[in-house]
Amino acid sequence: APFRPKSGIWREDGLFCSPFAGSDRSVITRSQRYLHEKEQTVPVQTGVYMTFQSTALFLYLCVFGMFFIILINTKLGRKLLLKYPKIFTLGVVSAEGATPEQVEQASFSITLKGKGYSVL
């Protein structure tokens, strides 16, 4: 059966999961298509997801994201975001950039999970 990426929000391994809205899946899919066409490899079927410790954090990011999208779609909103980034990101982003301590403390992780399948 073909792989179908999950949608919505679900709980797995003690975390809340949701599809990642970035371009990662598109980049992977295009890369796999290229490899399949040029090198006759079997394409990897992927899903790209984010995880959250709580539904409250997930909902907060959804509301923040919608607010941000509204702002970037208007000339005034873009002007305000560029002039006052610290206010509109609640201090997360500033015109001065990250301090060396913030850079040192910043991190992210990638978890890869796979399930095998046969091409026969």
Side-chain angles (χ1 to χ4, degrees), residues 4-61:
R4 301 260 187 254
K6 291 183 178 182
S7 60
I9 184 170
W10 67 96
R11 194 166 173 90
E12 185 174 311
D13 297 335
L15 298 169
F16 293 92
C17 307
S18 176
F20 180 63
S23 62
D24 298 45
R25 184 167 189 272
S26 174
V27 171
I28 294 168
T29 302
R30 289 173 188 242
S31 299
Q32 290 300 308
R33 180 179 297 137
Y34 172 82
L35 291 171
H36 176 68
E37 291 172 359
K38 299 297 181 189
E39 299 180 16
Q40 289 70 49
T41 61
V42 177
V44 174
Q45 300 176 33
T46 61
V48 182
Y49 309 102
M50 300 181 294
T51 59
F52 304 92
Q53 297 287 334
S54 68
T55 54
L57 178 58
F58 173 74
L59 293 173
Y60 168 79
L61 289 173

Side-chain angles (χ1 to χ4, degrees), residues 38-119:
K38 299 297 181 189
E39 299 180 16
Q40 289 70 49
T41 61
V42 177
V44 174
Q45 300 176 33
T46 61
V48 182
Y49 309 102
M50 300 181 294
T51 59
F52 304 92
Q53 297 287 334
S54 68
T55 54
L57 178 58
F58 173 74
L59 293 173
Y60 168 79
L61 289 173
C62 286
V63 169
F64 178 78
M66 288 186 293
F67 179 68
F68 189 75
I69 288 170
I70 291 168
L71 286 174
I72 64 172
N73 281 307
T74 65
K75 188 174 183 178
L76 175 63
R78 289 188 298 273
K79 186 176 180 180
L80 289 171
L81 283 169
L82 289 170
K83 192 168 184 177
Y84 306 106
K86 201 168 192 175
I87 292 171
F88 288 101
T89 63
L90 303 176
V92 174
V93 177
S94 71
E96 298 81 32
T99 65
E101 293 82 21
Q102 290 171 322
V103 171
E104 186 66 33
Q105 292 176 355
S107 69
F108 70 94
S109 66
I110 297 174
T111 302
L112 302 174
K113 293 186 176 187
K115 293 182 181 177
Y117 65 95
S118 174
V119 294

